[in-house]
Amino acid sequence: MTRETETMPPSDDAPESLRERVRRVIFESTPGAPRQFDVILMVAIAVSVVAVLLDSVPEIHARWGRALLLAEWGFTILFTLEYGVRLWCIERPLLYARSFYGIIDLLGILPTWLSLVVGGTQYLLVVRILRVLRVFRVLRMVRWVTEASFLMDALMASRRKIVVFLFAVLTLVVVFGSVVYLVEGPEAPFTSIPISIYWAIVTLTTVGYGDIAPVTPLGRALAACIMIMGYGIIAVPTGIVTVELNEAMRRQRVNSRVCSGCSAEGHNREARFCWRCGQPFEAPPST
């Protein structure tokens, strides 16, 4: 055998290993087995969350509590096996475990296992928290929404504008709350400035609970101005995020490529390396 043949890279036609096949089915979103796996997993997540919600209803828990408990453990074992397989087939399991989706996957199974070691009536609050945490499984569906990356980019790009907007709104409600406290007087429900600020927030956001309302003509006129202003203020963050969302979709052409090293998604079509771990990609196909 010559030296050239010894250093020849492996052929692309080499048979795919079991680990690589499993990784492709679990982490990719291409048609076929990967797409079927995603659909089955989404259905299982949705059913498990519905089971947790139904279990919180006293009447349903009293009649179907045992069946819902068995279903919960069935889903927990299923998701635990799936989490273990994800760590096994990925090349950098620790990096995946520390990622957003890795933490969400862990939160989906950890509460049920922790409930085995939490007992006693003094820990009822902790048990309730663990049961509620299971609802976070629904966050796992975010991994299949490609547009979520666009929305996250838009929110990050507009965060400074949104902070300035929120600061302006906070200033307005403090001013309006103080003024209505001064106008209404101590006889009205506005007994303090914090309560008046609460009323200003409810009015400015057009929620209008109605638990507190001005009674003087000047106070009602001020309330009308705040309500009308609220409609204009609501449109401001919507416009900011919409502009940034369009910009993110314009400059980022995202494909379904998933890094085999850390499962990161959202790579540009021209990307040659993973944006998270630096894993090299194959050359993108020519168009």
Side-chain angles (χ1 to χ4, degrees):
M1 182 179 295
T2 64
R3 185 176 183 84
E4 287 76 7
T5 56
E6 292 178 355
T7 58
M8 182 179 299
S11 174
D12 294 337
D13 298 333
E16 193 177 28
S17 65
L18 174 62
R19 184 179 179 185
E20 180 61 24
R21 289 201 302 269
V22 173
R23 188 205 65 80
R24 182 172 55 82
V25 170
I26 291 181
F27 286 100
E28 298 287 347
S29 299
T30 55
R35 187 69 55 81
Q36 295 173 2
F37 175 82
D38 291 347
V39 172
I40 294 175
L41 194 57
M42 281 193 292
V43 172
I45 293 172
V47 174
S48 67
V49 172
V50 171
V52 173
L53 299 180
L54 294 177
D55 192 41
S56 65
V57 180
E59 294 79 7
I60 297 179
H61 178 76
R63 184 172 182 178
W64 304 99
R66 183 174 181 82
L68 291 174
L69 179 62
L70 294 176
E72 168 61 29
W73 274 107
F75 285 120
T76 299
I77 294 174
L78 174 65
F79 294 145
T80 302
L81 293 175
E82 183 239 349
Y83 180 71
V85 172
R86 286 183 181 272
L87 295 180
W88 169 73
C89 67
I90 203 72
E91 294 182 10
R92 302 187 181 183
L94 293 180
L95 189 58
Y96 172 75
R98 295 195 301 266
S99 65
F100 172 79
Y101 294 123
I103 295 174
I104 293 299
D105 290 345
L106 184 61
L107 285 178
I109 61 176
L110 194 59
T112 306
W113 293 112
L114 287 179
S115 63
L116 292 176
V117 297
V118 178
T121 57
Q122 68 273 24
Y123 299 114
L124 287 180
L125 180 60
V126 178
V127 173
R128 174 171 292 185
I129 292 175
L130 294 178
R131 291 172 61 184
V132 171
L133 283 178
R134 298 170 191 169
V135 180
F136 280 91
R137 289 173 183 166
V138 74
L139 294 178
R140 301 183 60 189
M141 293 186 180
V142 177
R143 76 170 79 233
W144 294 287
V145 182
T146 306
E147 288 77 7
S149 61
F150 292 123
L151 181 59
M152 185 63 65
D153 292 341
L155 292 175
M156 292 299 296
S158 58
R159 64 184 183 276
R160 292 184 178 86
K161 299 176 184 177
I162 294 178
V163 169
V164 173
F165 167 77
L166 292 178
F167 181 77
V169 172
L170 180 61
T171 303
L172 287 176
V173 296
V174 171
V175 172
F176 288 145
S178 302
V179 172
V180 77
Y181 170 76
L182 179 63
V183 169
E184 290 297 309
E187 293 81 10
F190 302 89
T191 56
S192 65
I193 292 181
I195 292 179
S196 302
I197 292 175
Y198 157 77
W199 169 84
I201 294 174
V202 172
T203 306
L204 189 64
T205 56
T206 68
V207 176
Y209 288 135
D211 53 346
I212 302 176
V215 295
T216 63
L218 184 57
R220 291 177 178 177
L222 179 62
C225 295
I226 297 176
M227 294 175 193
I228 295 175
M229 187 181 299
Y231 284 105
I233 289 179
I234 290 175
V236 174
T238 305
I240 293 174
V241 176
T242 301
V243 171
E244 295 295 342
L245 183 60
N246 292 334
E247 179 64 19
M249 295 179 67
R250 184 190 65 82
R251 67 173 181 264
Q252 186 179 19
R253 293 179 296 166
V254 176
N255 59 13
S256 60
R257 188 181 342 183
V258 180
C259 176
S260 62
C262 64
S263 78
E265 301 177 7
H267 302 92
N268 292 338
R269 189 172 298 275
E270 298 83 4
R272 300 184 60 184
F273 300 92
C274 174
W275 59 266
R276 178 188 290 163
C277 67
Q279 178 92 358
F281 289 131
E282 296 180 359
S286 59
T287 56

